[in-house]
Amino acid sequence: MSYAYLFKYIIIGDTGVGKSCLLLQFTDKRFQPVHDLTIGVEFGARMITIDGKQIKLQIWDTAGQESFRSITRSYYRGAAGALLVYDITRRDTFNHLTSWLEDARQHSNSNMVIMLIGNKSDLEARREVKKEEGEAFAREHGLVFMETSAKTAANVEEAFIDTAKEIYRKIQEGVFDINNEANGIKLGPQHSPNSPTSPSSGNPLGGGRAGNCC
Amino acid sequence: MAGLPEKMIEYVLETRIDAQTDDISLDTFLEDFILTHIIYMPSNILCNYLKNYYSRRGSMPYSSNGLMPSSVETDFDVEQQFIAKRRVIAFLSIWESVFGIHFFLDTVANSFVEEMYCCVLEDSKRIPNMLPILDQITGLRQLRENAMRVLSRHPTTILDCGVYSAQAPAPDPILSMDTCNQCIYLSDTTFITMSIRLDKNASEIADLARCKLKCASTHEECFLIEVKSSGERVVFAPTEVSVPTMLSLNGRLYVVFKDEIDSLTPLSDQQGPIDGMYHSILDLMGSSEIAQQLGIFHTHLFDATDEIELIFQVIGRDQFSGRMPSNLDILLRRFNEVQYWTTTEILLAAPSKRVVYLKKLIKIASITKENKDLMTFFAITLGLSNLAVSRLTSLWDKLPTKLKRQYGEFEALLDPSRNHRAYRMLIAKITPPVIPFVPLLLKDLTFMHEGNKTYFAGLVNFEKMKFSRYR
């Protein structure tokens, strides 16, 4: 399956807020063992359709590595979108958003679309952070906001797809230079003016591999 | 493959043990079972099963609740009884060989060796040909005694107010009775220093601190909070164990009431060494020597860390009574320490010296890579990629092209593309012993755990357990 665009995402936030579950919920609805460690097999990718165009989302997740903040530099480099996740049942994860956001803004390009996610909305009884607080934080920092439940899948599709729509809108408006891969966007193989090779990673993603995305 | 835990251990004993001989490498199914049984079959259940299997006198149909035989169907002859005993002792022996000294940290397994020794000794008087089995369990008992000499040491200090103690036992493991000298602050920044056993949980530490500070009269609930140098506040769950080893570098531990949490801010001494007071070790030692010393120390920390601690960390630090990932904490703490040390060396260097240090640190990184110490290698690489250093464009411009290219190659190994392909290619080519990039192990295990059910319709998902063997 070929694609028109490839968007690179990252998922950030404190330990235990459900980052990996969000990714797994979004990319792996089929029952199958995940995380094939065979070298080179891509993990965390899915095709979506926006405006009739096939878009491949490639999602990088930092789960399990949160205490190594510096690692994030290699993650942020060339990301078009970020999901910044907190847990609505743990206030401290909400309080740490500022420092994650600072990290994200420092290390990424200024056009990166950041979606704020209040996860675990199924645990209403244990809620410590009001929805309005999430909304206020998002408004103040210019983020898109959504509450999700990786457990029941509520809003998970929307979180990833709305972020993609926002990136797509920015492309249409000409905000992103799509020929500069540092922006986290690649043209699909048949769309690019000249053969797309990635100078940074040296791993051009051919269309042949795209169908094989997980 | 999926199954009831007791069916899986039966399968192991009936079909796998006899095929295992000394001259072939260890059966991977057997090893996977041993490495992961703690997730679905705690050691006491496993040992009970082994004991029953050892003493059985007939085939064991299962009662509905699992382990205890409800009736004996057919009587075993002496030969069959002998085989059952041989298998149990052989299994025990393999179990020990997988974990080494860490096997004896499991108190159930530890005392089971002694129990089985008594059984075998008794049986050898009435069953012929027991001698080889007796020899095997005697050998195991000897290993236990050797291990106990290491493990029954006095408690020792691991961290002394955040500084790794010279008395710390690496490469021998940290034990749950070991302690850390820990400063505990109140909201007004007065503090006391307490010696805290690693197996004390956050709630016990808060109580102890309050008693010592003589503010125990109130019944209001207290919280244990870390204030990181970045200003972040981490609230420890009451059941959290090995708290002092979890703290970040320059983190401060507070015991406060709920309404005080939001007022806590970092203290000035949390911002690291002060300019002018800092002396660089880079002036005193050569690159190879520094790389070598770091390698020796990190090998010790790595050897002290049991694989099972990765499982504790990913599944839940407080889920495995009496066991905790303290050695892993120290290893990861050290990883961050080297990262920040690298950054600090560059930032506090006199401007004229910066490029010299930068060259030297790249040199050290390249030697640690040759030494197969990937932990130090990536820590230094990450330290130099810290924004505070990487944005010093004029510094990087002074670096010879060759070194710049070399550093670019180092950074490329951290590229997460295609599930960290570059790193996985690198490590696949290296012959052990190697110190791996531990953060990635944690990430892989996190996804394996979150992405795969442990049980499927009540059966253990053994496919998941097989994943875990990737190291």
Side-chain angles (χ1 to χ4, degrees):
Chain A
M1 213 190 315
S2 69
Y3 53 87
Y5 295 105
L6 181 145
F7 296 167
K8 227 184 250 182
Y9 279 19
I10 56 166
I11 310 185
I12 50 173
D14 276 9
T15 311
V17 295
K19 295 187 295 296
S20 54
C21 300
L22 280 170
L23 174 60
L24 291 165
Q25 179 65 255
F26 181 69
T27 56
D28 199 66
K29 299 195 148 181
R30 294 147 295 164
F31 184 82
Q32 64 166 45
V34 299
H35 211 55
D36 188 338
L37 296 168
T38 316
I39 288 174
V41 172
E42 203 181 334
F43 168 68
R46 201 183 118 177
M47 286 289 193
I48 58 168
T49 311
I50 292 175
D51 201 15
K53 291 208 165 61
Q54 287 283 316
I55 292 175
K56 179 173 174 178
L57 300 186
Q58 188 182 70
I59 306 149
W60 291 352
D61 188 326
T62 59
Q65 299 181 298
E66 297 85 353
S67 14
F68 306 92
R69 279 295 173 84
S70 302
I71 284 174
T72 47
R73 179 171 129 121
S74 51
Y75 281 91
Y76 286 117
R77 184 180 291 143
L83 303 190
L84 170 57
V85 189
Y86 68 93
D87 173 353
I88 65 154
T89 70
R90 277 168 54 210
R91 174 153 296 273
D92 54 336
T93 66
F94 181 74
N95 291 341
H96 297 164
L97 289 176
T98 326
S99 93
W100 281 112
L101 196 59
E102 214 169 275
D103 239 38
R105 292 254 154 94
Q106 274 185 348
H107 290 98
S108 61
N109 79 72
S110 53
N111 290 317
M112 184 167 80
V113 174
I114 304 176
M115 164 79 82
L116 178 66
I117 305 276
N119 193 31
K120 306 198 185 174
S121 62
D122 52 300
L123 301 175
E124 193 55 48
R126 285 166 46 199
R127 179 188 282 277
E128 283 185 12
V129 184
K130 286 196 211 100
K131 193 173 180 187
E132 294 73 34
E133 294 176 88
E135 284 165 350
F137 186 92
R139 209 166 33 244
E140 191 186 330
H141 294 93
L143 317 175
V144 194
F145 173 67
M146 203 171 267
E147 283 197 348
T148 61
S149 165
K151 198 170 166 199
T152 67
N155 266 347
V156 173
E157 293 277 312
E158 290 80 352
F160 285 92
I161 292 172
D162 287 7
T163 308
K165 283 182 183 158
E166 181 68 14
I167 297 168
Y168 186 74
R169 190 181 61 79
K170 286 195 172 185
I171 293 175
Q172 302 299 15
E173 287 173 1
V175 177
F176 277 121
D177 172 9
I178 49 172
N179 293 315
N180 179 358
E181 280 181 15
N183 287 328
I185 297 163
K186 274 187 214 173
L187 286 169
Q190 77 280 38
H191 297 79
S192 77
N194 40 41
S195 111
T197 47
S198 152
S200 56
S201 65
N203 300 322
L205 285 155
R209 288 200 197 93
N212 213 351
C213 60
C214 292
Chain B
M1 187 184 290
L4 289 169
E6 49 273 21
K7 276 288 175 196
M8 274 160 53
I9 172 69
E10 184 187 23
Y11 169 74
V12 164
L13 291 171
E14 301 277 325
T15 62
R16 297 280 175 154
I17 288 288
D18 292 344
Q20 188 70 45
T21 52
D22 288 342
D23 51 349
I24 56 166
S25 60
L26 187 54
D27 175 349
T28 55
F29 181 91
L30 194 52
E31 193 180 3
D32 294 341
F33 177 83
I34 288 170
L35 280 172
T36 60
H37 75 86
I38 197 160
I39 300 169
Y40 47 85
M41 194 181 201
S43 298
N44 58 331
I45 311 256
L46 175 57
C47 288
N48 272 339
Y49 183 91
L50 291 173
K51 183 71 191 295
N52 282 328
Y53 192 95
Y54 177 90
S55 6
R56 71 192 197 164
R57 303 202 162 200
S59 61
M60 289 159 60
Y62 289 91
S63 60
S64 55
N65 63 357
L67 294 176
M68 295 304 292
S70 54
S71 65
V72 172
E73 277 180 351
T74 47
D75 282 346
F76 278 180
D77 59 25
V78 173
E79 174 63 15
Q80 284 169 308
Q81 288 181 31
F82 169 80
I83 290 172
K85 293 178 199 308
R86 190 189 65 205
R87 284 174 179 160
V88 169
I89 304 307
F91 177 83
L92 204 54
S93 186
I94 294 169
W95 186 2
E96 188 279 335
S97 72
V98 169
F99 284 118
I101 194 166
H102 301 278
F103 170 81
F104 298 101
L105 277 173
D106 182 337
T107 48
V108 175
N110 186 326
S111 52
F112 190 61
V113 170
E114 196 61 30
E115 190 181 342
M116 289 323 292
Y117 173 75
C118 296
C119 291
V120 175
L121 195 61
E122 206 49 43
D123 288 341
S124 63
K125 290 174 191 159
R126 58 178 188 87
I127 300 173
N129 302 327
M130 285 287 282
L131 202 59
I133 305 181
L134 184 62
D135 282 351
Q136 195 170 19
I137 190 75
T138 308
L140 213 48
R141 191 173 178 244
Q142 186 57 50
L143 289 174
R144 175 176 184 261
E145 272 170 28
N146 298 347
M148 291 316 280
R149 242 172 272 152
V150 177
L151 301 179
S152 62
R153 58 176 172 75
H154 287 293
T156 180
T157 307
I158 306 300
L159 292 176
D160 196 354
C161 295
V163 178
Y164 188 77
S165 158
Q167 300 154 28
D172 290 332
I174 295 170
L175 307 178
S176 59
M177 63 175 182
D178 286 334
T179 60
C180 288
N181 289 331
Q182 183 63 49
C183 296
I184 301 185
Y185 291 77
L186 287 174
S187 57
D188 63 2
T189 73
T190 55
F191 69 92
I192 51 161
T193 307
M194 279 172 46
S195 172
I196 299 175
R197 270 177 64 123
L198 293 172
D199 56 1
K200 292 285 172 213
N201 67 33
S203 150
E204 291 169 314
I205 296 171
D207 287 347
L208 282 171
R210 262 174 15 157
C211 282
K212 220 168 172 185
L213 289 157
K214 301 194 173 47
C215 57
S217 54
T218 164
H219 292 294
E220 201 180 333
E221 196 187 354
C222 260
F223 292 84
L224 209 57
I225 312 281
E226 180 193 357
V227 178
K228 298 188 179 185
S229 56
S230 64
E232 264 181 46
R233 295 179 283 260
V234 180
V235 184
F236 287 104
T239 53
E240 191 60 81
V241 287
S242 199
V243 171
T245 56
M246 280 178 85
L247 299 179
S248 64
L249 299 170
N250 290 332
R252 295 285 180 270
L253 193 63
Y254 285 77
V255 56
V256 293
F257 298 116
K258 189 168 181 128
D259 58 357
E260 294 174 323
I261 296 176
D262 289 339
S263 66
L264 302 177
T265 49
L267 306 170
S268 57
D269 67 346
Q270 282 181 254
Q271 302 307 320
I274 305 160
D275 204 358
M277 283 179 62
Y278 190 71
H279 295 283
S280 175
I281 194 165
L282 294 175
D283 290 329
L284 306 173
M285 287 166 77
S287 307
S288 309
E289 199 184 350
I290 294 177
Q292 196 190 1
Q293 292 298 326
L294 289 170
I296 292 169
F297 181 43
H298 297 162
T299 303
H300 282 175
L301 295 182
F302 185 69
D303 286 348
T305 309
D306 188 356
E307 287 155 319
I308 205 100
E309 293 186 35
L310 295 164
I311 291 178
F312 298 159
Q313 174 71 21
V314 168
I315 292 185
R317 297 169 60 95
D318 52 0
Q319 302 291 302
F320 302 89
S321 167
R323 311 281 311 269
M324 56 203 78
S326 309
N327 295 286
L328 179 64
D329 284 350
I330 295 290
L331 190 68
L332 298 182
R333 184 182 170 84
R334 176 64 184 174
F335 183 87
N336 281 339
E337 202 166 44
V338 175
Q339 264 191 73
Y340 286 110
W341 165 70
T342 304
T343 309
T344 308
E345 285 287 355
I346 298 291
L347 297 180
L348 291 191
S352 59
K353 284 227 146 168
R354 274 191 178 160
V355 76
V356 180
Y357 285 1
L358 182 59
K359 281 184 198 164
K360 190 155 183 173
L361 285 161
I362 295 173
K363 180 82 190 295
I364 294 170
S366 88
I367 299 170
T368 58
K369 182 165 168 263
E370 280 163 31
N371 293 350
K372 301 191 274 194
D373 171 9
L374 299 183
M375 169 165 144
T376 316
F377 170 67
F378 284 117
I380 295 176
T381 304
L382 283 166
L384 294 178
S385 83
N386 186 303
L387 197 66
V389 174
S390 62
R391 70 177 170 198
L392 302 173
T393 10
S394 63
L395 171 66
W396 290 92
D397 286 346
K398 283 185 214 141
L399 202 62
T401 321
K402 191 180 148 220
L403 276 181
K404 222 189 277 183
R405 192 175 343 109
Q406 193 178 22
Y407 178 69
E409 287 163 11
F410 293 170
E411 254 200 328
L413 290 169
L414 286 161
D415 183 350
S417 294
R418 297 171 73 193
N419 201 3
H420 295 267
R421 181 174 197 270
Y423 169 74
R424 294 190 206 277
M425 296 280 280
L426 170 73
I427 197 136
K429 277 189 292 197
I430 299 179
T431 46
V434 53
I435 311 184
F437 183 46
V438 181
L440 193 58
L441 294 179
L442 286 171
K443 179 182 175 180
D444 286 341
L445 276 174
T446 302
F447 275 97
M448 283 172 211
H449 178 55
E450 301 288 353
N452 298 279
K453 290 191 163 83
T454 300
Y455 297 98
F456 189 71
L459 307 176
V460 175
N461 177 4
F462 201 73
E463 292 299 321
K464 170 174 178 169
M465 305 309 152
K466 272 180 14 195
F467 273 138
S468 317
R469 69 170 294 100
Y470 159 82
R471 276 161 247 157

